[in-house]
Structures are given as C-alpha cells and as structure tokens.
Amino acid sequence: MNSAASNKAHILVVDDEEALASVISDILALEGYEVTTAFSGEEALERVRQYPYDLLLVDLKLPIMQGDSLLRESLALYPDLIVMMMTGSSDVQTAVNLIKMGAYDYLGKPFENDELIIKVQRALAERHLKQENQFLKSELVDKYNFDNIIGASAAMQNVFRLIKLTSAKNSTVLLTGETGTGKELVARAIHYNSLRREFPLICVNCAAIPENLLEDELFGHIKGAFTGAYQPRIGRFEQADKGTLFLDEIGCMSLELQAKLLRVLQERSFERIGGTQNVRVDVRIIAATNSNLAARVRDGLFREDLFYRLNVIPITIQPLRERRDDIPVLVQHFAKKICDAQGIPLKCISQEAMKQMMAFDWPGNVRQLENAVEMAIVMSGERQSLTAGDFPALVTHTEKAMYARSIVIPEGGIQLNSIVSDLERELILQSLEKAKGNKKRAADLLHIKRTTLVEKLKRMNLMDTTSMQ
C-alpha cells in the first residue's frame, strides 16, 4: 500500500451519477483511502464545511451548483485543499481554465483505473510534501528565534537588541567574532525573523571553497564558459534572490573577487561566468569574519570601499572568555537539549565542575562548550551528576595549571624546552604503562596518532628500551 493511503487520507468524491461515484469510491477504498461520496454540489459544499478533506474529486457537470463553483467555494474555505476535476470535455481551454481557478489536476472521462490511482497518489504526495515544507519552515523560525540564542551577559543582551533592530530592515550586516562564537546562528536569526523569511537563506563559507571555484559558486556560469562547463550553473546569488546571502569568513576572499562582489552590492546585478546577460537580483547580504577587517584594509588585503559597504550594521559577538557569566546558562541549555535528544533524564553539573568551566578560556568558544557537554553526558553512562573529570579539556587545563604552579623559577631563569620535554616524556611513559605497552591505546590516551607517538618514542630513544605492541 502506498504511503499516502497508509496515512488514511480522506477523499470526497462528487458526481451526480451515483453508480459512477460508487465505482470510483470502491477503487479508492481498495487503495486504503477513506472515501465519502456526494451527489450534488450543494451536498458536497455542506460536507466540506463540516470536515477538512484531503482531496476532492469533483465532476465538472453537476446540477444547479456546477463543479467549477464548488471548486471556487471549497478553495475559499481551505486554500490548501487539493481539488481534482473530472470532465467529459476534450476542450483543452476548459482544462486550462480549471487549473487557473486553482484545480490541482483534471481527469478526462472516461479514464482508466490506474490513471485515477496514480493521479490521486501524486496529488496527495505533493500535498504531504508541501505540508512538510511548511512545518520545517515554521520549525526553522522557532529554532532561530531570539530566545534560542542563549546569553545573559550585557554583551549578549546588546547582540539581541541589534538583531531585533536589524531583522526588520534590509541593511547589510557585518558579524565579527572568533570561530565558534555563533555568527551563523545570529545570521539565521536575522533572516528567519525578517520580511525575507519566506525566501531562501543561502550560506557560503568563503574559506572552505578554493579561490578558483568561489567565483563560479557565487555567480554561476553559462554552458561552455570553460572546459568542463557542459551545463549552465545557477550561482548562490541567484539562488538567494529575494532572500538572504550569508557570506561567512569573507576576509578570505581575494582582492579580485572582492571587486566583483562590490559591483554586485552597488548595481544589484552581475554577469555569469562566460555570459554577457545582466542578471538582476534582490538579495540582502550578511557577512561574517573572524579576522579584523579594518586591519586587513590597512595591510592592503581587503578593499576599503567594500569594507564600508559591508560594515553598515556591525555586530560583534564576544568570545566566551570575555562573557564567562554566560557559561552556566549555556551549559544548562546544552545539557537539556542533549538529554532530550538522547531520551535520558536531565543530568546535573557539579558545582566544582561549573567553577572550572567558568575558569576555562574555551578557545573554541560556544561550539567547543556544546561539544564538551555532549561528550560528558554520553560518556558518563548512568551517572546523573557530571564532575570535572567528565570534561577532558578541564582536566588537562587543571593539571597543566597545577604543574606550572608547582615549578619555582630560579633567579637565573629556567630552560622551558627542557621542562616541556620532561613533562612530555613522563606523560608518554604513563600512557604506555596504562595501556600495558599497546602503542595504539597509549596514543588514544594522549589524543594523538599512533604514528606521532612512534616518532616521539624514536626521538626520545625509548623504542629499544620498551617491549611494546
């Protein structure tokens, strides 16, 4: 049985020929659908008012209220309702007019059983897909609501204020902040709370695409533009038309491509690679960078005119180490999110662990913090309370700090390389002892590759003194 039928779609068959209506009803019922029949337009409209059917199968020629009138009245009640018309007319213009009025499709009488089944299946599948897309779009709006960008600090409250002010406008936005601070999350929040939210948000990571391919990625090309261009390609600018284009890590873009981007921002038009046709687009730009663009301008690495074009509304997202009071609320948010996703009871974080988390700098920012919380929850097994030992980054950070504080630097100074080498040697020997000589396990304990461990053992002349696997 097909998926649409298995979901018990409810179909209303409307035909004044009772015998034909009964036959159609039986055919569809055998496919697993729930089917109701009506023998006049008036009866059908009354049923539609009382129940939201999935599909209407309507004969065009009905007494008193014609099928086209029923089509119009039904769509006025339920604009997303699928109405399929049946007609004995072979006039193509009749079919065209029905489609223009909102009919999904039409069946010419007489029709084969298979044709009826296939068209109904296709119509219901398309309806399901449309509903699913609407649901996903509403979920995106909810997911990127302001409330889902977490932060209680003054710095984040200022970000929230700027997002709210910016979302209602069409101005270009420049997001700055270290990797992992949540720049893309802010860009999505701006888009999905803007008037452009019904149109695409297209994201391009300029650092992840080779320079020789980035122009093609942005602007597309015509057929034959270069060797291998066997088909035309629509670029990201055209894909984002009427929506938003998010250009992440824009500081990595070459000066040549910066000039082309500047022209698009000024003219709102461009030419595909190899083409001469001017393509006009209505796109809002949100750019992001983890580098200091003003400094890159001074160094001649970024165009000054483009910088001012992008920096209309600047939003800076501070690193986590500069807003440590956000850490507890972020940890609690991630813990609930991850436990809900895993289907397990909410785990709590010990006070000592939270203190150490707030003391840690989190070089990977919010992204690193979320990953650390997820790893701790997964690896803690049945335990309900997470300790500092469940967070490897904290343990390493704490041990390093304790070791550093235990060393007294004499008046004459200290050989740093020697201290580091001794610590590395001691940790390698400890890992080998814990792993009972197994190099692979020892390397895993140190979070390095086995080949790296072997190279270090050779450099330290430890290969011959150990009988390891």
Side-chain angles (χ1 to χ4, degrees), residues 49 133 185 307 464:
R49 285 176 176 149
N133 287 340
L185 192 64
F307 172 67
D464 297 334

Side-chain angles (χ1 to χ4, degrees), residues 81-219:
L81 179 63
I82 290 182
V83 183
M84 192 178 299
M85 304 300 294
M86 299 180 290
T87 174
S89 172
S90 58
D91 181 13
V92 174
Q93 191 57 46
T94 299
V96 171
N97 291 339
L98 290 171
I99 299 298
K100 285 182 178 179
M101 288 175 62
Y104 170 80
D105 203 348
Y106 70 94
L107 278 162
K109 290 182 176 181
F111 47 78
E112 298 292 333
N113 293 356
D114 287 346
E115 183 185 5
L116 167 67
I117 292 167
I118 289 170
K119 288 203 171 190
V120 167
Q121 286 177 349
R122 185 184 300 143
L124 289 169
E126 187 168 314
R127 181 177 190 266
H128 175 73
L129 183 62
K130 185 177 180 181
Q131 289 176 333
E132 195 173 63
N133 287 340
Q134 289 173 341
F135 172 73
L136 289 173
K137 188 172 287 186
S138 68
E139 278 212 323
L140 281 173
V141 172
D142 181 63
K143 181 177 180 181
Y144 297 110
N145 189 284
F146 303 134
D147 296 338
N148 288 293
I149 303 177
I150 307 300
S153 65
M156 284 308 296
Q157 292 304 311
N158 185 52
V159 170
F160 297 149
R161 182 182 64 82
L162 290 171
I163 291 174
K164 289 178 181 178
L165 290 171
T166 305
S167 295
K169 311 300 180 185
N170 277 318
S171 303
T172 302
V173 179
L174 179 62
L175 304 174
T176 57
E178 294 179 5
T179 299
T181 50
K183 297 187 293 294
E184 184 172 343
L185 192 64
V186 171
R188 290 181 180 277
I190 293 171
H191 172 77
Y192 287 112
N193 289 277
S194 75
L195 297 175
R196 294 175 177 263
R197 60 181 170 269
E198 297 298 323
F199 298 97
L201 168 66
I202 303 296
C203 302
V204 180
N205 187 333
C206 301
I209 302 171
E211 181 59 38
N212 61 325
L213 299 179
L214 185 55
E215 182 180 359
D216 186 33
E217 188 75 19
L218 293 175
F219 306 120

Side-chain angles (χ1 to χ4, degrees), residues 153 155-156 177-181 290 317-327 330 356-369 397:
S153 65
M156 284 308 296
E178 294 179 5
T179 299
T181 50
N290 62 6
I317 307 166
Q318 298 293 344
L320 208 47
R321 65 182 175 275
E322 293 182 15
R323 48 186 179 97
R324 296 179 191 271
D325 44 343
D326 282 340
I327 291 175
L330 281 166
Q356 292 192 30
M357 292 175 93
M358 292 186 72
F360 188 52
D361 281 346
W362 298 105
N365 291 294
V366 179
R367 188 179 301 150
Q368 182 189 10
L369 178 62
H397 171 70

Side-chain angles (χ1 to χ4, degrees), residues 66-84:
Q66 291 284 301
D68 54 353
S69 297
L70 177 59
L71 166 67
R72 191 181 301 108
E73 294 287 341
S74 299
L75 291 177
L77 289 169
Y78 301 106
D80 293 332
L81 179 63
I82 290 182
V83 183
M84 192 178 299

